[in-house]
Amino acid sequence: MLNISGLKEGIVLDHIKAGMSLYVYYKLGLDKLDVQVAIIKNAHSNKMGRKDIIKIESGLDRIDLDVLGYIDHNITVNIIRNDRIVEKKRLDLPKRITNVVTCKNPRCITSIEQELPQIFYLADPAKETYRCLYCEQKYTPHNK
């Protein structure tokens, strides 16, 4: 069994679908932060079979929970202080996301006006689909 040392202070993102950790890593901008990050891929999970885990030696203020909720609202966010889990956060689907994905409609105003933010709103929570604020193009996250 692989043993990754504990985390004194930071965040553990648990229950990430197997194979999705690098996608989460880049979408959260962890590659741009000057903090220690450990990625564990294909860890054994009784609940999921296989899962990925990301350990981040940083405060929660550096993580956008809306982006994480958009990627997969089933990810568990564990807050670690003094080597212990002090809080577990559950994620919701965000009502609105900005500059997380780009509209694929070539006629959308965001294709022409590069300065406009890419804004999507939650159109159908049951189907977990979003729509572009400008052109109503439907978008479903790729991991669904």
Side-chain angles (χ1 to χ4, degrees):
M1 176 176 216
L2 180 65
N3 185 15
I4 303 294
S5 66
L7 188 62
K8 226 171 188 15
E9 305 280 330
I11 305 159
V12 176
L13 305 179
D14 199 0
H15 302 107
I16 302 170
K17 288 182 183 174
M20 292 293 294
S21 58
L22 286 178
Y23 179 76
V24 170
Y25 176 83
Y26 287 111
K27 281 296 184 184
L28 289 178
L30 297 176
D31 57 320
K32 294 172 180 65
L33 296 180
D34 189 24
V35 297
Q36 287 186 6
V37 177
I39 296 175
I40 303 162
K41 293 180 70 175
N42 293 312
H44 174 73
S45 169
N46 290 332
K47 189 163 107 176
M48 300 174 68
R50 295 274 177 208
K51 67 180 179 179
D52 289 358
I53 302 167
I54 300 177
K55 294 184 175 188
I56 308 161
E57 195 174 62
S58 174
L60 190 59
D61 59 324
R62 299 179 115 178
I63 304 298
D64 188 337
L65 294 180
D66 282 345
V67 171
L68 203 53
Y70 168 75
I71 293 170
D72 187 351
H73 62 278
N74 295 309
I75 293 172
T76 305
V77 180
N78 297 311
I79 312 299
I80 311 296
R81 289 193 193 106
N82 298 320
D83 293 317
R84 304 187 89 123
I85 297 174
V86 295
E87 185 180 357
K88 285 187 179 227
K89 289 192 172 281
R90 301 283 180 211
L91 302 171
D92 295 317
L93 286 170
K95 304 271 187 261
R96 179 177 164 145
I97 55 171
T98 303
N99 295 329
V100 177
V101 293
T102 56
C103 187
K104 294 182 172 118
N105 181 354
R107 291 177 286 183
C108 181
I109 188 73
T110 58
S111 297
I112 301 162
E113 300 291 332
Q114 300 296 320
E115 305 83 34
L116 282 177
Q118 299 278 332
I119 302 172
F120 286 77
Y121 65 92
L122 183 60
D124 187 345
K127 292 182 182 175
E128 300 181 13
T129 57
Y130 286 80
R131 289 197 180 271
C132 176
L133 181 68
Y134 306 103
C135 72
E136 295 291 313
Q137 176 75 34
K138 187 167 123 179
Y139 188 84
T140 304
H142 83 279
N143 64 326
K144 304 293 181 219

